[in-house]
Amino acid sequence: MQLSKEVFSYRLLVTLVIYAGIIVACFYISYEVRFDFSVLPEYQEDRLRILWVVLGVKLVCLVLFGQFGSMLTYFSIPDFFRLGWALLLSAVLMIFLRILGHGEYILPRGMLLIDLLLSGAAFCGFRMALRLYRERITLGRRFASTRVERIAIVGAGDAGASLASDLINTPGRGFKPVVFLDDDRSKYGKHVHGVPIAGPAEKLLELRQASGVNHVIIAMPSAPAKRIREIVFFLVQKGYKVETMPALEELASGRARISRIRPVELEDLLGREEISLDSAAIRKFIEGRVVMVTGAGGSIGGELCRQIAHYNPSRLLMLDQSEPSLFMIEQEMIEAGMGALVQPLVADILDQQRMPYLLKRFKPEVIFHAAAHKHVYLMERQPAEAIHNNSIGTRLLAQMAAEHGVAAFVMISTDKAINPTSVMGASKRLAEIYLQALQANNHTATKFITVRFGNVLGSSGSVIPIFKKQIAAGGPVTVTHVDVTRYFMTIPEAAGLVMKASVLGKGGEIFVLDMGQPVKIVDLARQMIELSGFTVGKDIEIKFIGLKPGEKLYEELQHLDEHHLQTEHPRIMRFVPNNDAREGSALAISEIEGALYRVSNNELKALLKKVISEYTPFFD
């Protein structure tokens, strides 16, 4: 601590000496300029007498505007304005001396203006020189690239300009922007930070400025996914290495910087339109409350934790039975400055001793239930586990929520629960039915809400990481059927839907996001192969292996006995069953629970079929 104070005092003294030197030099030179470098003897005396007053006034003004507390090597527009106001105030104070009649301190008016301009130029030049030294020399040593790679930037907007500026100012990174590519014809022939805007991405091979370029960075975070896809595949096919900037929401939230370039991912090419959610309403629902997230270590649960934390709950309870997964999300939250807010809880939702204890101790007011077994083929071969965790676990947790006065219980479901053909989907559908029945017979204040969505891009167990692994191994990439399609959404989008549903729900509803158009899995496979720089059929094959037990060709949006109603949000639908919530669902779950580990897989599926008439089981 003592050392830090000494360093600070030393830096302050050095800054004071340098600033005083600049002030004295500018004041001295301004007299010379004012009198054409022939200052008369009487003015020489005035200059020396007034110098100390000017020095004192200017130093005081610089202190008032924080110029001694700022980092000298960081100089930007706000620093420029603060410096300008300090110098302007000092000039005004010197004029006041004239007005107040202090004749011995009267300066020639022209000299005041010259001094102001010289001081501004000198101080700005000094600060800019320090900034350039830090960026070009200090950072250059840190990155210490052995060679400079010529790159092209697609997108001459604000994002592209910021990226170019960052790379130009830090040449040690090893990248030199030599050309901008943009679809806006009005920009052609102009320059951004000295880099020419030459044409669209498709003209890259023809451009003289692009000679030697084999690396392209996409700097269009708000561009439509369709256009990004066209540019990426064109450049990849021509042999260019293509990278991109973080998405717009990552930049806006501060989770990423402009310069944090990364490889283009499939998520960038399948990007969906950003969904606007009522943040004020969500904040009102979350702020100041104790919130629990089950399955907090999973893809959806983890994202829920990230988003909930920004709405300022009084406590965020992160519950998961997987210790490693829970540890990872806890460390992430701590690094984000949320360590005092979160409470990690290692627990199984089926534990009928620990769960009541946790609810009684921490008193959550909202529960987001994301804990579930979700792998279709894995659960198809062990249906007892799917039913035990997804159906019975949800029943037990919902009952405990009602008993402990939880205000809202939001369950994460899946589009595979719609007219299910898999045990996983049927187990989720059984949980949905139970929650609707519980809401109909619920005499407490708890509202039970279900949210369905499709496949989540980037989640564990999705096809994308499987395809990546197969491509890295040289193929083949395996697809179950040439016509199989799925709905996709991003993890932040899915978590945002859950948050909005918690506000819209009155109890008993099932909410579904408008998931847009379904995507053919074989098209995903082709795009991922091409994105990796390979040719389908030549470098890597696509192999069709047939549908797995319980798998559908396509997912559906609603049950045969459901109809949808619009909500206040145009992209969110509310499904309401035509028939009453099934009174015997709790009894049916109890009957199935008693048979879980006593009967065969086929017999369990038959029991499910009795409760869920729309279920089409696959029998071994």
Side-chain angles (χ1 to χ4, degrees):
M1 186 67 181
Q2 184 65 33
L3 180 62
S4 298
K5 289 182 179 179
E6 291 175 359
V7 171
F8 176 76
S9 300
Y10 173 75
R11 289 179 177 175
L12 182 61
L13 179 61
V14 171
T15 303
L16 179 64
V17 171
I18 293 174
Y19 277 14
I22 292 174
I23 293 169
V24 170
C26 290
F27 184 77
Y28 189 90
I29 294 172
S30 64
Y31 255 92
E32 297 292 331
V33 174
R34 169 66 179 78
F35 293 101
D36 294 328
F37 297 94
S38 299
V39 182
L40 298 176
E42 59 266 28
Y43 285 112
Q44 291 279 16
E45 295 178 5
D46 290 342
R47 175 164 58 181
L48 294 175
R49 183 178 63 255
I50 300 173
L51 172 61
W52 302 105
V53 177
V54 172
L55 179 61
V57 169
K58 285 191 176 183
L59 287 176
V60 169
C61 290
L62 290 171
V63 170
L64 291 176
F65 282 88
Q67 292 306 297
F68 285 92
S70 60
M71 298 288 290
L72 295 183
T73 57
Y74 292 87
F75 188 64
S76 58
I77 296 298
D79 298 305
F80 170 77
F81 279 116
R82 284 194 293 270
L83 178 61
W85 283 113
L87 296 176
L88 184 61
L89 177 61
S90 66
V92 171
L93 290 176
M94 294 306 298
I95 293 174
F96 275 152
L97 292 177
R98 174 191 289 268
I99 296 173
L100 293 174
H102 293 279
E104 67 274 23
Y105 300 121
I106 292 177
L107 293 170
R109 287 185 293 270
M111 182 265 158
L112 272 176
L113 179 60
I114 295 170
D115 179 60
L116 178 63
L117 295 175
L118 281 176
S119 298
F123 275 107
C124 289
F126 171 65
R127 294 289 299 274
M128 281 301 299
L130 291 179
R131 173 179 168 176
L132 289 173
Y133 176 80
R134 176 183 61 84
E135 292 177 341
R136 302 296 176 94
I137 308 299
T138 307
L139 289 180
R141 291 193 189 119
R142 183 188 305 173
F143 292 106
S145 176
T146 57
R147 65 185 183 88
V148 176
E149 183 177 2
R150 294 164 60 86
I151 65 167
I153 299 177
V154 180
D158 292 338
S162 297
L163 176 62
S165 175
D166 198 23
L167 295 178
I168 291 170
N169 290 329
T170 54
R173 295 179 186 273
F175 297 115
K176 180 183 179 180
V178 296
V179 66
F180 273 107
L181 305 167
D182 201 283
D183 292 337
D184 188 350
R185 292 179 176 273
S186 65
K187 297 180 179 179
Y188 297 168
K190 299 178 180 178
H191 292 71
V192 176
H193 300 306
V195 180
I197 306 171
E202 287 77 5
K203 297 291 184 181
L204 181 58
L205 288 170
E206 306 170 14
L207 298 176
R208 174 180 53 81
Q209 300 94 327
S211 174
V213 170
N214 56 22
H215 188 172
V216 181
I217 299 175
I218 309 292
M220 301 190 298
S222 60
K226 180 181 179 182
R227 180 55 182 153
I228 297 288
R229 185 163 54 245
E230 291 172 353
I231 293 172
V232 169
F233 285 127
F234 171 80
L235 295 173
V236 168
Q237 289 171 359
K238 299 300 181 182
Y240 290 98
K241 177 184 177 182
V242 182
E243 293 185 308
T244 188
M245 283 173 40
L248 194 61
E249 58 268 20
E250 293 181 275
L251 296 173
S253 66
R255 294 198 299 264
R257 293 180 54 202
I258 287 285
S259 58
R260 189 64 58 86
I261 57 177
R262 57 172 175 77
V264 177
E265 301 287 351
L266 187 62
E267 289 87 339
D268 301 312
L269 309 183
L270 296 176
R272 293 161 51 82
E273 293 181 14
E274 185 179 354
I275 294 179
S276 175
L277 297 173
D278 188 353
S279 296
I282 297 174
R283 178 173 294 278
K284 185 178 179 181
F285 181 77
I286 295 294
E287 192 168 28
R289 283 179 150 180
V290 179
V291 180
M292 174 182 281
V293 178
T294 70
S299 305
I300 298 299
E303 181 63 24
L304 277 171
C305 291
R306 296 181 195 99
Q307 293 194 21
I308 290 169
H310 288 289
Y311 291 106
N312 198 28
S314 64
R315 199 83 175 268
L316 176 55
L317 310 174
M318 304 188 302
L319 186 144
D320 203 296
Q321 66 173 335
S322 171
E323 180 188 7
S325 299
L326 190 60
F327 174 77
M328 294 302 294
I329 186 63
E330 181 196 17
Q331 292 304 303
E332 182 180 334
M333 298 299 284
I334 290 172
E335 290 172 6
M338 306 288 185
L341 181 69
V342 301
Q343 175 68 53
L345 300 170
V346 178
D348 188 337
I349 61 169
L350 289 159
D351 191 331
Q352 297 183 57
Q353 291 184 326
R354 180 156 172 76
M355 289 306 301
Y357 163 76
L358 294 176
L359 294 179
K360 182 179 180 180
R361 177 183 175 186
F362 294 105
K363 297 180 174 57
E365 298 165 80
V366 180
I367 294 179
F368 292 96
H369 178 38
H373 290 324
K374 62 180 183 178
H375 296 273
V376 172
Y377 184 51
L378 195 61
M379 291 300 101
E380 196 65 28
R381 292 171 289 169
Q382 39 199 348
E385 284 305 307
I387 298 167
H388 193 211
N389 195 59
N390 296 352
S391 304
I392 298 169
T394 299
R395 185 202 72 188
L396 293 172
L397 188 59
Q399 288 174 340
M400 286 185 278
E403 291 167 3
H404 288 81
V406 174
F409 182 96
V410 185
M411 184 189 79
I412 313 302
S413 189
T414 170
D415 56 0
K416 293 174 177 60
I418 304 168
N419 303 321
T421 59
S422 66
V423 167
M424 193 281 283
S427 67
K428 279 291 192 178
R429 178 56 182 155
L430 187 58
E432 290 181 357
I433 294 170
Y434 176 77
L435 289 185
Q436 289 183 317
L438 187 60
Q439 185 70 56
N441 301 313
N442 184 24
H443 300 296
T444 70
T446 306
K447 59 179 182 181
F448 296 96
I449 301 161
T450 298
V451 186
R452 289 180 190 150
F453 38 74
N455 296 273
V456 179
L457 290 169
S459 67
S460 59
S462 68
V463 295
I464 294 176
I466 295 173
F467 285 172
K468 285 182 178 178
K469 186 176 180 180
Q470 291 174 337
I471 292 170
V477 173
T478 57
V479 178
T480 54
H481 193 282
V482 67
D483 294 322
V484 68
T485 62
R486 292 291 181 266
Y487 291 99
F488 284 93
M489 60 196 310
T490 65
I491 293 176
E493 185 180 22
L497 167 64
V498 176
M499 302 285 286
K500 182 60 178 176
S502 66
V503 177
L504 293 176
K506 300 296 188 292
E509 305 97 335
I510 297 175
F511 290 97
V512 179
L513 181 69
D514 175 9
M515 292 183 285
Q517 296 299 315
V519 177
K520 293 187 72 171
I521 300 300
V522 68
D523 290 341
L524 283 187
R526 289 195 185 99
Q527 291 177 358
M528 290 190 66
I529 292 170
E530 292 173 357
L531 197 58
S532 302
F534 301 112
T535 302
V536 178
K538 180 181 178 182
D539 301 313
I540 293 181
E541 298 284 344
I542 294 178
K543 182 180 179 182
F544 297 100
I545 59 175
L547 291 174
K548 297 177 181 177
E551 187 177 14
K552 292 182 179 180
L553 264 182
Y554 57 90
E555 301 294 355
E556 300 166 90
L557 291 178
Q558 67 187 81
H559 287 286
L560 300 176
D561 64 343
E562 287 179 334
H563 66 280
H564 74 270
L565 302 174
Q566 289 296 323
T567 67
E568 62 186 60
H569 195 288
R571 300 288 300 275
I572 299 176
M573 297 175 287
R574 182 173 78 249
F575 285 98
V576 180
N578 290 323
N579 60 335
D580 295 331
R582 301 171 199 185
E583 298 288 343
S585 59
L587 183 62
I589 292 179
S590 297
E591 181 184 351
I592 295 173
E593 182 179 7
L596 274 185
Y597 302 107
R598 297 182 180 179
V599 299
S600 67
N601 290 349
N602 285 347
E603 289 173 311
L604 269 181
K605 294 176 183 180
L607 286 174
L608 272 180
K609 173 67 176 177
K610 289 181 180 179
V611 185
I612 308 169
S613 59
E614 66 270 24
Y615 171 41
T616 306
F618 173 85
F619 292 114
D620 296 329

